[in-house]
Amino acid sequence: MESRLEQQPVNYKISCTGLSKSFGNNNNKVDVLATMDLHVKENEFLVILGPGQSGKSTLFRIMAGMETPSTGTVTIDGKKVTGPGPEIGFVFQRYTLFPWKTVLGNVEMGPKLRGLAKNERREVAQHYIDLVGLKGFENHYPHQLSGGMKQRVSIARAYANNPKIMLLDEPFGQLDAQTRILMEQETIRIWEAEKRTVCFVTNNIEEAVYLGDRIVTLDGKLPGKLSHVYEVDLPRPRDFTDLEFLKLRQKITDESQLVL
């Protein structure tokens, strides 16, 4: 069986080189991503920050192998991505749970499809249900859960596949402000407990500064272009009222097309 990954020189966990994306052709052509290079380190928490219609989700879909770039390549551990694979876990903005399955049934789906025995996949699923703080809700169905709890299930389900990389595409965009802050805190707790390389898309500056080791901003008009890169040298856990936090937040605000 042909591998979905082709051998390339290893430099970063993820390398996007000469990447661009256009849809349509001739008079109907829409350029979504301008040519860009983006590299992500092992276990880094990278945040991609940009307004709507800046190509963020398209970039993520290309990184996950769900879209084919018009030019350029994506590599993971030096191997070219040519399609979706188990090395990447993806969490979407909209809840993508199976409504007819319980929390446990949703989380164990990936291990089940991989052929793990029932007792083994239950053990894996329970570990991640506990990790995201849903112990006691194993037999609840999605309609019985709040929005924040549904995203916890989505995160647990992605982790249960044991991916090398987690891609989170504006996962908290539908949550109220208080729940969003709680989920940001939980995301860092989970990441610190089980380190993975994480790429996180958002249009929220405070969220980006709170979460990221590094922030990459995209310009606000199509085609999306890499604009600025910010190294976030702030200790964790981070405080939204800390002076250095506020300075970086203001700097990004001044240099981007985003508003607080």
Side-chain angles (χ1 to χ4, degrees), residues 21 26 45 50 59 63 66 93 137 170:
K21 181 65 178 180
N26 300 327
F45 200 121
L59 173 60
M63 290 169 70
M66 298 176 182
Q93 180 175 353
F137 291 89
E170 296 193 69

Side-chain angles (χ1 to χ4, degrees), residues 48-191:
I48 299 172
L49 173 67
Q53 304 300 311
S54 60
K56 306 185 302 296
S57 292
T58 299
L59 173 60
F60 255 33
R61 290 180 67 83
I62 292 172
M63 290 169 70
M66 298 176 182
E67 292 276 0
T68 302
S70 299
T71 66
T73 59
V74 178
T75 61
I76 296 175
D77 290 328
K79 299 176 181 179
K80 184 178 177 182
V81 175
T82 59
E87 60 280 338
I88 292 181
F90 208 119
V91 179
F92 299 88
Q93 180 175 353
R94 295 188 179 277
Y95 314 127
T96 56
L97 304 178
F98 299 115
W100 62 89
K101 287 188 174 292
T102 63
V103 169
L104 180 62
N106 270 279
V107 176
E108 72 173 0
M109 179 56 67
K112 182 177 181 179
L113 292 175
R114 295 205 317 271
L116 268 67
K118 184 175 181 179
N119 62 336
E120 187 177 356
R121 67 177 184 257
R122 287 283 165 93
E123 183 178 349
V124 169
Q126 189 65 56
H127 170 76
Y128 288 107
I129 288 169
D130 294 350
L131 183 66
V132 301
L134 287 179
K135 186 174 182 179
F137 291 89
E138 292 86 351
N139 295 319
H140 285 61
Y141 288 88
H143 73 272
Q144 298 173 304
L145 306 176
S146 68
M149 294 170 77
K150 289 176 185 176
Q151 280 300 51
R152 289 172 187 258
V153 178
S154 296
I155 292 169
R157 185 174 64 179
Y159 266 96
N161 282 318
N162 196 29
K164 299 176 181 178
I165 296 160
M166 290 284 289
L167 302 181
L168 295 93
D169 187 5
E170 296 193 69
F172 310 141
Q174 298 188 75
L175 304 179
D176 63 81
Q178 184 174 355
T179 305
R180 185 170 188 155
I181 291 172
L182 175 62
M183 288 303 300
E184 290 165 0
Q185 295 169 342
E186 286 294 279
T187 297
I188 292 299
R189 179 185 64 80
I190 294 165
W191 173 69

Side-chain angles (χ1 to χ4, degrees), residues 5-38:
L5 304 175
E6 299 169 3
Q7 189 65 43
Q8 296 287 322
V10 176
N11 293 305
Y12 295 90
K13 191 67 178 179
I14 309 171
S15 283
C16 303
T17 306
L19 210 63
S20 73
K21 181 65 178 180
S22 300
F23 291 101
N25 50 55
N26 300 327
N27 294 333
N28 295 320
K29 183 180 179 183
V30 178
D31 295 323
V32 177
L33 291 176
T35 304
M36 64 175 67
D37 295 333
L38 177 65

Side-chain angles (χ1 to χ4, degrees), residues 183-228:
M183 288 303 300
E184 290 165 0
Q185 295 169 342
E186 286 294 279
T187 297
I188 292 299
R189 179 185 64 80
I190 294 165
W191 173 69
E192 289 179 333
E194 293 211 1
K195 282 291 180 75
R196 298 284 198 286
T197 302
V198 173
C199 297
F200 189 105
V201 158
T202 185
N203 60 12
N204 185 290
I205 296 173
E206 281 198 337
E207 185 168 72
V209 177
Y210 184 82
L211 294 174
D213 292 325
R214 190 162 52 107
I215 300 169
V216 174
T217 60
L218 297 183
D219 284 340
K221 292 182 179 179
L222 294 181
K225 306 179 189 69
L226 292 184
S227 179
H228 293 80

